[in-house]
């Protein structure tokens, strides 16, 4: 997947993303060519004394932190290398600090608005006292620095519960099978309601597997060969290459329209036909996306 960063405005021709204000937007380019389980609960609920207190983070210190957005690399984030079937969706009351496993000092910040100046979608996995474990749209490491081991496709962090406000939680999820080259929409009971053919990554630039991310954002960009079908950005990133298709999008994995919807043909993104894109586009942001 390739993206570029362009500044776009309302009414600009189809070569740019249609958004309501001038914002930096990642643009996806077309490519050339584990079973799911809920997050395991702790064996016993941690006592109040076992859960760290939330440190105070002043406004200046918060503003100085790197933003955990789609193209960022933040070493203090935690790799998330598992699949889940349930989560809770939130928005942010204001910019919020993100913490690593020790929860003693912040490593990054979540901006209350995303790159399209819409409320940032936050996906929570587990509550511990005054903390929520959440998925983030940033990387923890680049594949080029992993010494051949591959980088985590998804990251997580702890955020203070006080920073969150509840949003509508999706009842369905998306499951991508790289083996079967399909994309399925699965309802809350586990039943498959839709299944579509899909093109997936090549052997050199594979779609990462054994991991769950979420639908982060969506936008239209005819300049990328996707017509008027919205590109569905996930929080997942390539594990094999820093920028599989060039640009500086952080190696994001997207689901998007392409005339070719079968085979190992992409740089990691998932190619879909118009009907499939419309079905995914109807799902709310925050919908879990699992790749098997």
């Amino acid at each position: 997947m390739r993206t570029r960063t362009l500044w776009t405005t309302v009414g600009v021709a189809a070569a740019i993303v249609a958004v309501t204000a001038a914002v930096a937007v990642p643009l996806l380019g077309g490519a050339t060519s584990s079973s799911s389980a809920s997050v395991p609960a702790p064996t016993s609920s941690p006592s109040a004394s076992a859960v760290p207190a939330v440190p105070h983070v002043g406004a200046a210190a918060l503003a100085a932190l790197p933003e955990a957005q789609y193209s960022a690399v933040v070493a203090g984030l935690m790799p998330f290398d598992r699949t889940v079937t349930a989560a809770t969706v939130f928005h942010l009351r204001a910019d919020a600090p993100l913490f690593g496993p020790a929860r003693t000092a912040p490593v990054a910040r979540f901006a209350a608005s995303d790159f399209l100046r819409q409320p940032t979608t936050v996906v929570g996995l587990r509550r511990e006292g005054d903390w929520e474990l959440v998925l983030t749209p940033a990387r923890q490491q680049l594949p080029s620095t992993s010494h051949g081991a591959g980088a985590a496709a998804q990251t997580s962090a702890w955020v203070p519960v006080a920073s969150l406000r509840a949003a509508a939680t999706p009842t369905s999820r998306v499951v991508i099978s790289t083996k079967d080259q399909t994309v399925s929409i699965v309802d809350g009971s586990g039943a498959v309601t839709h299944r579509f053919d899909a093109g997936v990554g090549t052997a050199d630039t594979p779609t990462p597997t054994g991991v769950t991310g979420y639908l982060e954002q969506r936008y239209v960009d005819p300049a990328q060969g996707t017509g008027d079908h919205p590109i569905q950005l996930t929080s997942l990133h390539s594990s094999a290459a820093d920028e599989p298709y060039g640009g500086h999008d952080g190696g994001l994995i997207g689901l998007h329209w392409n005339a070719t919807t079968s085979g190992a043909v992409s740089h990691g993104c998932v190619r879909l036909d118009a009907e499939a894109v419309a079905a995914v586009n109807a799902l709310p942001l925050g919908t879990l996306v699992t790749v098997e």
Side-chain angles (χ1 to χ4, degrees), residues 37-271:
S38 297
V39 174
T43 53
S44 60
S45 298
S47 65
S49 61
V51 178
V54 176
H56 172 72
V57 181
L62 180 62
L65 292 168
E67 182 185 347
Q69 49 117 354
Y70 66 90
S71 60
V73 180
V74 183
L77 298 175
M78 299 179 288
F80 187 80
D81 56 356
R82 70 192 78 171
T83 61
V84 298
T85 59
T88 305
V89 174
F90 303 94
H91 290 150
L92 295 166
R93 299 182 185 278
D95 287 8
L98 292 170
F99 293 76
R103 290 177 264 184
T104 55
V107 298
R109 65 180 170 89
F110 252 152
S113 297
D114 65 20
F115 62 87
L116 291 185
R117 296 186 179 174
Q118 297 179 8
T120 295
T121 299
V122 179
V123 173
L125 302 176
R126 187 173 75 242
R127 181 73 53 91
E128 284 189 7
D130 293 329
W131 299 92
E132 182 80 17
L133 180 66
V134 301
L135 298 178
T136 94
R139 277 172 156 169
Q140 186 265 343
Q141 181 184 29
L142 291 173
S144 61
T145 66
S146 68
H147 306 291
Q154 178 62 53
T155 61
S156 62
W158 291 100
V159 65
V161 171
S163 301
L164 303 173
R165 58 183 177 87
T169 294
T171 57
S172 296
R173 55 193 173 91
V174 175
V175 178
I176 301 165
S177 171
T178 57
K179 177 182 178 181
D180 297 336
Q181 295 174 4
T182 60
V183 167
S184 300
I185 296 177
V186 181
D187 68 17
S189 71
V192 174
T193 59
H194 300 80
R195 178 171 284 140
F196 306 97
D197 292 335
V200 298
T202 67
D204 291 333
T205 55
T207 305
T209 59
V211 65
T212 295
Y214 60 96
L215 290 179
E216 174 189 355
Q217 193 46 276
R218 49 176 58 106
Y219 62 94
V220 175
D221 180 25
Q224 299 200 54
T226 58
D228 58 359
H229 308 290
I231 297 168
Q232 311 290 313
L233 291 182
T234 78
S235 60
L236 298 167
H237 299 260
S238 172
S239 295
D242 295 358
E243 299 288 353
Y245 202 65
H248 44 81
D249 68 345
L252 279 176
I253 302 299
L255 292 79
H256 61 82
W257 180 89
N258 192 279
T260 302
T261 58
S262 64
V265 292
S266 81
H267 286 85
C269 285
V270 178
R271 295 178 171 188

